[in-house]
Amino acid sequence: MEVIPFAEITKIVQYPVHCSFGDRVEYSKTGGCFYFMSKKALITGITGQDGSYLAELLLSKGYEIHGIIRRASTFNTGRLNHIYEDPQSDSSKMVLHYGDLSDASGLARLINRIQPEEIYNLGAQSHVRVSFDSPEYTTDIVATGTVRLLEAIRETGIQPRFYQASSSEMYGKVKEIPQTENTPFYPRSPYGCAKVYSYWLTINYRESYNLFACNGILFNHESPRRGETFVTRKITRAVARIKAGLQKELFLGNIDAKRDWGYAKEYVEAMWMMLQHDEPGDYVIATNETHSVRDFLKIAFDHVDLNWEDFVKKDSRYFRPAEVDLLIGDPSKAKRTFGWEPKTRFEDLVHLMVDSDMKILSDQLPGNIS
């Protein structure tokens, strides 16, 4: 059996190759055939919302997945349980490694051992409000963590395709509406500042070392897997609990803030598509619509026949020291370049999240929520 690395396959057949490990692939140039060797991807932040969806996507495309997880005294892999297989199994295509973006030497050892063709840097302290309380830690992981990862790539001498998770929070006090790849940044939080640093560092390594590196400027993207302390999931979880009679009030901060919200499962497809393109670049991934937290509340509570104004209270603790009032992204470059566009509408996304939290609560309690 002739086994050829993925990089060599792409010289023979049109890129990308949609096949799995062991598939027999024929090519017309010589009339021969070869067997496909799985493409390897390394994901930081694999246990998060985006990391779990990305792992699902890449597994469906035949990748061998390697994920970095932080050591913890409790299990933190809940979002991966449905796709995780015992590493002793011959069919296992996902391997989890202990590591941290604060550990430069550990990152270099992992990259050298795995030799991935693609690296997705999704790991971060990603809660914007928390970044005001922990600015040093946020900067160390979000900004300096990217330095450590890029330096590990450079020092090992491999040439992977690199994806950097940039953020709409970089725009902050927006300079134009909608925001595009050319809109100046004006971050309004330690998290946003750290993301701006990582964004420009990614471009610097692309231009200095000829690294195939892309920035995905993702606007707010939600799903049933969103962390429970993020405002969207906090709302949908509260809706389920209030409907069930388990909660009486919901405390929030600025409900007039407007965001461009999309479905996370679709946004990870854009990450992958960026790295399959012929040339690296930077792309806004968004819906080009904006809605307020107030809009989200109304749709979520209406979905279960409740009036949100009867339950929601403001709490000053949840306000940011510097607010971002409005974000709305123009994804036309992504659509024009590699054909990505959002499919799930805002109202459908809210309903999807409420229904999921209703089901989760129903499964935990005796009886059903009507």
Side-chain angles (χ1 to χ4, degrees):
M1 179 177 75
E2 183 183 5
V3 177
I4 302 177
F6 192 91
E8 294 301 315
I9 293 174
T10 61
K11 297 176 183 177
I12 303 170
V13 296
Q14 185 176 3
Y15 191 90
V17 178
H18 298 286
C19 50
S20 299
F21 178 71
D23 283 357
R24 186 174 185 272
V25 182
E26 296 182 357
Y27 53 94
S28 58
K29 184 176 180 180
T30 62
C33 68
F34 51 76
Y35 289 83
F36 177 63
M37 180 186 292
S38 287
K39 196 175 182 183
K40 294 179 183 178
L42 175 64
I43 304 172
T44 72
I46 194 172
T47 59
Q49 170 189 253
D50 294 2
S52 64
Y53 280 125
L54 180 61
E56 280 181 4
L57 176 69
L58 297 184
L59 285 172
S60 74
K61 296 182 180 297
Y63 279 64
E64 178 183 310
I65 306 299
H66 294 262
I68 297 177
I69 62 172
R70 286 175 293 181
R71 179 72 178 90
S73 58
T74 56
F75 290 111
N76 59 356
T77 56
R79 295 184 179 96
L80 300 173
N81 286 344
H82 64 293
I83 56 174
Y84 183 75
E85 294 185 58
D86 191 306
Q88 307 305 321
S89 169
D90 291 338
S91 62
S92 177
K93 297 294 293 294
M94 182 171 68
V95 183
L96 301 180
H97 307 266
Y98 285 124
D100 199 292
L101 286 169
S102 64
D103 180 7
S105 60
L107 291 172
R109 285 193 299 271
L110 269 178
I111 289 173
N112 190 52
R113 185 164 79 245
I114 296 167
Q115 297 279 308
E117 281 89 4
E118 294 175 4
I119 295 177
Y120 297 85
N121 184 27
L122 311 184
Q125 187 301 100
S126 57
H127 198 291
V128 178
R129 179 62 188 85
V130 170
S131 77
F132 285 99
D133 301 323
S134 302
E136 185 176 349
Y137 173 73
T138 299
T139 302
D140 184 50
I141 299 303
V142 177
T144 313
T146 305
V147 180
R148 297 182 185 110
L149 192 56
L150 287 169
E151 273 297 282
I153 292 170
R154 189 175 70 86
E155 290 177 4
T156 55
I158 66 170
Q159 285 292 317
R161 297 191 170 200
F162 177 80
Y163 173 85
Q164 169 60 26
S166 292
S167 169
S168 59
E169 288 289 332
M170 300 188 303
Y171 295 116
K173 191 173 182 179
V174 299
K175 294 299 184 181
E176 64 179 1
I177 299 173
Q179 293 86 59
T180 72
E181 293 81 4
N182 297 319
T183 302
F185 299 137
Y186 193 144
R188 300 268 282 170
S189 66
Y191 171 78
C193 293
K195 281 293 186 181
V196 169
Y197 177 82
S198 291
Y199 172 90
W200 284 113
L201 193 74
T202 298
I203 293 175
N204 181 258
Y205 272 65
R206 181 169 73 211
E207 295 175 349
S208 300
Y209 305 114
N210 199 31
L211 178 67
F212 192 109
C214 298
N215 280 294
I217 309 173
L218 271 59
F219 281 63
N220 293 65
H221 45 292
E222 315 299 322
S223 78
R225 298 183 193 176
R226 190 53 138 159
E228 295 175 358
T229 61
F230 289 82
V231 66
T232 51
R233 185 72 195 289
K234 186 176 179 180
I235 292 170
T236 60
R237 188 168 179 266
V239 166
R241 290 177 59 81
I242 289 170
K243 184 66 175 178
L246 299 176
Q247 185 173 329
K248 294 182 179 180
E249 296 176 317
L250 170 61
F251 293 94
L252 297 174
N254 180 14
I255 64 172
D256 294 314
K258 292 184 176 181
R259 294 292 184 270
D260 184 326
W261 275 303
Y263 186 22
K265 189 173 183 177
E266 296 169 1
Y267 282 38
V268 301
E269 295 174 5
M271 299 178 189
W272 178 78
M273 293 170 79
M274 285 179 210
L275 297 197
Q276 315 316 308
H277 193 58
D278 293 336
E279 299 292 334
D282 310 307
Y283 302 92
V284 164
I285 303 300
T287 69
N288 203 24
E289 294 182 8
T290 189
H291 301 273
S292 67
V293 177
R294 189 186 300 269
D295 295 335
F296 197 107
L297 282 165
K298 186 177 189 312
I299 293 171
F301 277 88
D302 283 353
H303 191 51
V304 296
D305 300 316
L306 294 174
N307 180 1
W308 70 270
E309 293 176 304
D310 294 336
F311 305 98
V312 176
K313 310 291 183 184
K314 286 190 179 182
D315 189 330
S316 60
R317 290 177 298 177
Y318 298 122
F319 281 81
R320 302 178 187 178
E323 289 285 347
V324 174
D325 296 323
L326 182 150
L327 293 172
I328 177 171
D330 177 3
S332 58
K333 180 183 175 183
K335 181 179 180 180
R336 184 173 64 250
T337 305
F338 49 81
W340 183 89
E341 57 184 332
K343 302 179 183 68
T344 303
R345 307 297 294 184
F346 175 67
E347 186 170 349
D348 295 330
L349 174 62
V350 179
H351 290 170
L352 176 72
M353 294 177 67
V354 171
D355 290 342
S356 174
D357 275 316
M358 294 281 283
K359 184 178 186 307
I360 290 171
L361 191 57
S362 178
D363 290 345
Q364 292 173 346
L365 298 173
N368 294 314
I369 305 172
S370 58

